[in-house]
Amino acid sequence: MGLFSDLFDDAPKGDFDYKRLRKDLENEYAAQSAGFSGGFGFCQMLDVSNASNEKLLKMAKKEGFNLNKYKKR
């Protein structure tokens, strides 16, 4: 990690329900796979199962998920 890495890190901060986020992302990519993206959605679904928590947040953000919904209170 560089000296300024935190300045450029746009990853959300806080504690999240990663189990629920992972399940919802898997469902999203499964629906995309069945609906229109085929193999790409299936590969994304497999990526979710092995993704780190940080990667899950980035994937969810890319898909337009409301991450506040997954914050632990």
Side-chain angles (χ1 to χ4, degrees):
M1 292 257 135
L3 180 62
F4 298 105
S5 64
D6 287 342
L7 294 175
F8 302 105
D9 183 15
D10 64 349
K13 305 291 188 246
D15 196 17
F16 295 88
D17 184 350
Y18 293 105
K19 184 177 179 180
R20 188 168 64 118
L21 179 58
R22 187 178 308 274
K23 181 181 175 215
D24 287 353
L25 272 170
E26 286 174 341
N27 289 337
E28 172 66 22
Y29 287 128
Q32 287 182 19
S33 176
F36 58 89
S37 69
F40 181 71
F42 182 75
C43 289
Q44 291 289 92
M45 187 177 67
L46 294 177
D47 286 345
V48 169
S49 63
N50 296 320
S52 67
N53 291 344
E54 182 179 322
K55 179 74 173 174
L56 280 178
L57 292 173
K58 288 180 182 179
M59 294 171 91
K61 189 174 179 182
K62 180 182 170 197
E63 292 299 324
F65 279 38
N66 177 3
L67 295 178
N68 290 325
K69 176 180 166 184
Y70 299 94
K71 280 194 173 186
K72 290 186 176 180
R73 302 203 189 276

